[in-house]
Amino acid sequence: SSWDEKPIYIKNDVGEIVLWDFFGGNLDGIIKKLDYIDSLGVDIIYLNPIFEAVSNHKYDAADYSKVDMMYGTQNTLEKLVKKAGEYGIKIMLDGVFSHIGQDSIYFNRFKNYGESGAFNDKNSPFFSWFNFEEYPNKYESWWGNESLPCVNELDSSYLDFMLNEKDGIITRWMKAGIAGWRLDVADELPDEFIKRLK
């Protein structure tokens, strides 16, 4: 409730975080501060992940096609890009492409996105994106964190979803006006994925 308090995380009986502190701030807030940001000599603003996700850090993407509602909408992002551009400031997004949130439209462990998703349906269009050791409960995850299932970055359907030049995720947000991407854990992404993205 105050900036002076330490952040808290509420965990369940097995130590998984189930609730996070959220600190406010959104894309409209950045727009309102553009005069100040410009006065600092800034020419690019890099945003941590802004896509729909359950956590406060948003490195657990739930839907790459949506801006998380706590930050705004795609229209808000496009407004930020336009207004920042009036100051000569570009907007860069954080691309988290080595893992996804377990609570996502793609993995859908908790069925918050209907009955489909790789965790619930071997016929899901997203099933080949993940490596299951023992289906469904044992799967490859980022540094052993079960909330972040790793993806097969070179899976053909994942590549198409992310990098299709007509309507892939990268193209979608570039068309919205962003200037580029910061790649999360780029050292863990296959060179071929980075080459194709570039």
Side-chain angles (χ1 to χ4, degrees), residues 24-37 45 47 70-72 76 79-80:
N26 56 34
L27 299 174
D28 278 326
I30 298 171
I31 293 169
K32 290 176 184 171
K33 293 286 188 177
L34 282 172
D35 279 336
Y36 170 70
I37 293 168
I45 297 172
L47 301 174
M70 73 171 23
Y71 298 142
T76 317
K79 180 180 174 187
L80 170 60

Side-chain angles (χ1 to χ4, degrees), residues 7-183:
I8 61 164
Y9 297 93
I10 298 173
K11 298 181 179 184
N12 64 16
D13 56 353
V14 293
E16 298 169 326
I17 297 172
V18 293
L19 288 174
W20 293 259
D21 266 351
F22 291 88
F23 301 98
N26 56 34
L27 299 174
D28 278 326
I30 298 171
I31 293 169
K32 290 176 184 171
K33 293 286 188 177
L34 282 172
D35 279 336
Y36 170 70
I37 293 168
D38 181 56
S39 76
L40 299 173
V42 170
D43 59 9
I44 191 160
I45 297 172
Y46 149 62
L47 301 174
N48 284 113
I50 64 166
F51 304 120
E52 181 178 297
V54 69
S55 71
N56 59 7
H57 55 74
K58 306 297 182 204
Y59 283 89
D60 54 340
D63 190 338
Y64 287 110
S65 68
K66 296 179 182 172
V67 172
D68 194 285
M69 64 181 178
M70 73 171 23
Y71 298 142
T73 64
Q74 180 168 339
N75 288 338
T76 317
L77 177 64
E78 290 174 358
K79 180 180 174 187
L80 170 60
V81 167
K82 183 178 180 207
K83 294 280 188 187
E86 293 171 8
Y87 291 87
I89 298 172
K90 296 180 179 180
I91 303 298
M92 178 191 291
L93 296 184
D94 200 338
V96 185
F97 304 131
S98 68
H99 53 271
I100 286 174
Q102 66 179 337
D103 193 3
S104 68
I105 195 170
Y106 319 107
F107 200 72
N108 199 22
R109 183 171 184 172
F110 307 112
K111 295 187 178 181
N112 288 323
Y113 293 87
E115 295 295 318
S116 191
F119 188 87
N120 301 299
D121 182 3
K122 288 185 177 183
N123 295 314
S124 164
F126 312 116
F127 184 78
S128 63
W129 294 12
F130 304 97
N131 292 319
F132 288 94
E133 296 167 36
E134 294 174 20
Y135 185 79
N137 292 312
K138 195 170 182 186
Y139 49 88
E140 183 183 354
S141 57
W142 189 73
W143 287 46
N145 185 335
E146 288 186 1
S147 69
L148 301 172
C150 289
V151 297
N152 297 317
E153 298 95 340
L154 298 180
D155 175 81
S156 60
S157 71
Y158 184 74
L159 283 168
D160 185 62
F161 178 80
M162 284 294 173
L163 307 178
N164 182 300
E165 291 183 21
K166 181 180 175 191
D167 58 4
I169 292 299
I170 298 297
T171 300
R172 175 193 181 107
W173 296 108
M174 295 299 289
K175 285 180 179 177
I178 68 151
W181 296 88
R182 175 260 182 190
L183 296 180

Side-chain angles (χ1 to χ4, degrees), residues 181-196:
W181 296 88
R182 175 260 182 190
L183 296 180
D184 183 53
V185 294
D187 59 317
E188 297 177 20
L189 291 169
D191 291 346
E192 182 64 21
F193 180 86
I194 295 172
K195 182 180 176 182
R196 291 191 190 191

